[in-house]
Amino acid sequence: MPGRSQRKFVAPLNQPPLADFKVGVDNVIFSVDTAQNRLLVLLVMRQQEPFLNHWSLPGTLVRQGESLEDAAYRILSEKIRAKNLYLEQLYTFGGPQRDPREASDSYGVRYLSVSYFALVRFEEAELIADRMTGIAWYPVKQVPQLAFDHNEILAYGHRRLRNKLEYSPVAFEVLPEMFTLNDLYQLYTTVLGENFSDYSNFRARLLKLGFLCDTGIKVSRGAGRPASLYRFDAEAFAPFKDKPLVFI
Amino acid sequence: MPGRSQRKFVAPLNQPPLADFKVGVDNVIFSVDTAQNRLLVLLVMRQQEPFLNHWSLPGTLVRQGESLEDAAYRILSEKIRAKNLYLEQLYTFGGPQRDPREASDSYGVRYLSVSYFALVRFEEAELIADRMTGIAWYPVKQVPQLAFDHNEILAYGHRRLRNKLEYSPVAFEVLPEMFTLNDLYQLYTTVLGENFSDYSNFRARLLKLGFLCDTGIKVSRGAGRPASLYRFDAEAFAPFKDKPLVFI
DNA sequence: GCAAAAGTGTTTAGAGTACACCCATGT
DNA sequence: ACATGGGTGTACTCTAAACACTTTTGC
């Protein structure tokens, strides 16, 4: 690497120049179709090269004056109208050659992707189908080959979702205001798999914790005894906040 | 935002231009001084503006052709010689105005920091004191005001370290090949605090899991009965890999 | 009445906790 | 011998897991 010289206080001697980056934000947006017990992820059809006409995670490049999180929310609001959602940063993928544009296009510009993970209520999330934009909820078990390294990002997001469910109350951000304990249980089983807990034990443990309050309202779903609607009490949950509590 | 026009397939109409980024990598490098029971973090004195002569996390800007992880390892190898280490990505901090250079310098270039978290063996980690570079292990309880948002990054890293210890075998990456159960216990107490577990219970639980093998070798540390040296058996640990096992 | 869904209770095995106590060494 | 740190065992509590059972609805 010797033989190159630069200005003294800008960069040390004999070192390759700094990379210039464009920064993208890609969102892994999950929702749970409680009716069909399926975990869904939002995919969009790319309208431009590279990977024209491939499915991909919804993403965008960060603009001037915009924070990473702003960009993540911007994508979300361009694709869906959702009242309640949970969003957090996932991981940053930034190896060279992860984006084909690096090779052809421009002068050594690198593309880096900061991925975000989001969870929205399926029933309230209204997809914004701007003219001829392919956009759809896909069952995570049936996602096709995606653009870039998006399959990898999705897998990472899925793992994070499972962990989050186990020790944080994200589920309540994504259920309606009032829900039955079975709704909650279904949500957990669709994300975590069938064998995570017996319903009656799940029920007992959760009720004992005391942050679910019975509204007294009953709903009937076809045959069978009507179920109570419960509400998540954020205040009663507060003591468990940020504790290593595993409540499932 | 209307009134601006661009080429049709490069950027959509009427939108502010993309931000250009330099990407930095900052490392939160921990080690545990088992002799004095202190958790240490590696800090360096900045040799240049901004924040000249302030302590900061060791960091660097990513160069052309270099992956993020490469950059993280490069910093590490410039500062310390360590045989064994654990490294993983932490979080990406990227709001505008997080770096003073954004305002003065250049043309709207943004500085984004991808932080990495590392754990090294204190005894084997040899600091590389290149001429007049301030570099030192600081007890995390006594770190001063740092440059940029590095105090925040450090706090984040500290939280991650505590979590990691509880459900993954990082401790063994940072202990010598052979160690006494007391060494291990001290490591946990210095990171997690005094009240996480009684020694004898800690001991019993860990031995029952069966991935620590007694080498039979005894070491004497002053007065008292000599302790057995144990070795971490990675194969025996394998079944617990990636499971939600909390073994402390 | 009977099936289906909701909700309650009981039994048991094992984990977590708090200790008390024995063991081997240096001085 | 006795202080010091290493190591073992026990008794008690609490939770997790499995599953049997009761209640309330639709048909």
Side-chain angles (χ1 to χ4, degrees):
Chain A
M1 307 199 188
R4 183 192 299 271
S5 109
Q6 302 198 349
R7 276 195 300 137
K8 199 168 182 184
F9 290 100
V10 169
L13 299 173
N14 302 333
Q15 283 165 5
L18 301 180
D20 286 302
F21 286 87
K22 299 291 187 191
V23 174
V25 167
D26 293 305
N27 283 2
V28 186
I29 305 172
F30 290 110
S31 74
V32 178
D33 177 1
T34 38
Q36 294 191 66
N37 278 9
R38 295 187 306 178
L39 177 61
L40 305 172
V41 63
L42 190 69
L43 298 181
V44 299
M45 179 67 83
R46 281 185 65 84
Q47 306 292 312
Q48 50 192 293
E49 293 290 355
F51 292 101
L52 178 66
N53 292 331
H54 283 68
W55 288 102
S56 72
L57 298 175
T60 188
L61 290 168
V62 178
R63 298 176 184 167
Q64 292 183 14
E66 187 180 48
S67 74
L68 299 175
E69 198 169 291
D70 288 345
Y73 278 112
R74 179 163 56 82
I75 303 168
L76 241 146
S77 63
E78 283 174 2
K79 302 302 177 189
I80 54 181
R81 267 183 277 276
K83 288 185 212 154
N84 293 285
L85 63 91
Y86 175 82
L87 186 133
E88 74 170 28
Q89 189 184 301
L90 197 55
Y91 199 82
T92 299
F93 296 83
Q97 277 93 47
R98 66 169 291 280
D99 191 314
R101 283 171 290 190
E102 289 176 15
S104 55
D105 232 17
S106 105
Y107 310 91
V109 174
R110 294 260 299 270
Y111 285 83
L112 177 147
S113 160
V114 181
S115 53
Y116 277 77
F117 152 84
L119 195 56
V120 302
R121 290 187 192 176
F122 178 63
E123 292 78 5
E124 296 179 358
E126 180 191 345
L127 295 191
I128 300 174
D130 46 356
R131 55 258 181 265
M132 69 187 171
T133 307
I135 174 172
W137 289 114
Y138 260 83
V140 287
K141 298 188 177 180
Q142 298 165 31
V143 292
Q145 185 73 29
L146 301 179
F148 306 106
D149 48 4
H150 286 187
N151 286 95
E152 190 187 347
I153 299 178
L154 171 57
Y156 196 87
H158 192 192
R159 217 179 317 151
R160 180 82 130 249
L161 172 61
R162 282 190 297 257
N163 289 336
K164 274 282 152 184
L165 266 196
E166 286 184 358
Y167 62 84
S168 94
V170 269
F172 308 109
E173 318 247 3
V174 86
L175 282 172
E177 194 58 30
M178 299 199 296
F179 50 88
T180 70
L181 288 178
N182 241 311
D183 291 339
L184 185 60
Y185 182 65
Q186 294 308 330
L187 175 61
Y188 271 88
T189 45
T190 50
V191 177
L192 262 38
E194 279 301 329
N195 333 326
F196 85 98
S197 175
D198 170 315
Y199 170 68
S200 73
N201 292 326
F202 173 85
R203 176 193 173 79
R205 225 174 317 165
L206 228 54
L207 287 179
K208 188 158 46 137
L209 290 175
F211 53 76
L212 295 182
C213 36
D214 190 338
T215 62
I217 307 171
K218 307 281 183 186
V219 289
S220 224
R221 315 255 238 249
R225 176 172 173 175
S228 260
L229 285 176
Y230 285 79
R231 190 196 313 275
F232 174 67
D233 181 351
E235 284 190 32
F237 181 79
F240 304 101
K241 193 102 179 169
D242 290 325
K243 289 211 178 135
L245 160 75
V246 177
F247 66 98
I248 297 303
Chain B
M1 306 199 188
R4 182 191 302 268
S5 106
Q6 301 197 348
R7 275 195 300 138
K8 199 167 183 185
F9 289 101
V10 170
L13 298 173
N14 302 331
Q15 284 165 6
L18 302 179
D20 285 301
F21 285 88
K22 298 291 187 191
V23 174
V25 167
D26 293 306
N27 282 3
V28 186
I29 305 171
F30 289 110
S31 74
V32 178
D33 177 1
T34 37
Q36 295 192 65
N37 278 8
R38 294 188 306 179
L39 178 62
L40 305 172
V41 63
L42 190 70
L43 298 181
V44 299
M45 179 67 85
R46 281 185 64 84
Q47 306 292 314
Q48 50 192 293
E49 293 288 357
F51 292 101
L52 178 65
N53 292 331
H54 283 67
W55 288 102
S56 73
L57 299 175
T60 189
L61 290 169
V62 178
R63 297 176 184 166
Q64 291 183 14
E66 186 180 47
S67 75
L68 299 175
E69 198 168 290
D70 287 345
Y73 277 112
R74 178 163 57 82
I75 303 167
L76 243 147
S77 62
E78 284 174 2
K79 302 302 178 190
I80 53 181
R81 265 184 278 277
K83 288 185 215 155
N84 293 284
L85 63 89
Y86 175 82
L87 186 133
E88 73 170 29
Q89 188 183 303
L90 197 55
Y91 198 82
T92 298
F93 296 83
Q97 275 94 49
R98 64 170 293 279
D99 191 313
R101 284 170 289 190
E102 289 176 17
S104 54
D105 233 17
S106 104
Y107 309 91
V109 174
R110 293 260 298 272
Y111 285 83
L112 177 147
S113 161
V114 181
S115 52
Y116 277 78
F117 153 83
L119 196 56
V120 302
R121 291 187 192 176
F122 178 63
E123 291 78 5
E124 295 179 359
E126 180 192 346
L127 295 190
I128 300 174
D130 46 356
R131 55 258 182 265
M132 72 189 171
T133 306
I135 174 171
W137 288 114
Y138 260 83
V140 288
K141 298 189 176 178
Q142 298 165 32
V143 292
Q145 185 74 29
L146 301 179
F148 306 106
D149 48 3
H150 285 187
N151 287 95
E152 190 188 346
I153 299 179
L154 171 58
Y156 196 87
H158 191 191
R159 217 180 316 150
R160 180 83 131 249
L161 172 60
R162 283 191 296 257
N163 289 335
K164 275 281 151 183
L165 266 196
E166 287 183 359
Y167 64 83
S168 95
V170 268
F172 307 108
E173 317 247 4
V174 87
L175 283 172
E177 195 57 30
M178 299 200 294
F179 50 88
T180 70
L181 288 178
N182 241 312
D183 291 338
L184 185 60
Y185 183 64
Q186 294 308 331
L187 174 61
Y188 271 88
T189 45
T190 51
V191 177
L192 260 39
E194 279 302 327
N195 333 325
F196 84 98
S197 175
D198 170 316
Y199 170 67
S200 73
N201 293 325
F202 174 84
R203 177 192 172 79
R205 226 174 316 167
L206 228 51
L207 287 180
K208 189 158 46 137
L209 290 175
F211 52 77
L212 295 182
C213 36
D214 189 339
T215 62
I217 307 171
K218 308 282 181 186
V219 289
S220 224
R221 314 255 237 249
R225 175 174 174 173
S228 260
L229 286 175
Y230 284 80
R231 189 197 313 275
F232 174 67
D233 181 351
E235 283 190 34
F237 180 79
F240 305 101
K241 194 101 178 170
D242 292 324
K243 290 214 176 129
L245 159 75
V246 177
F247 66 98
I248 295 304

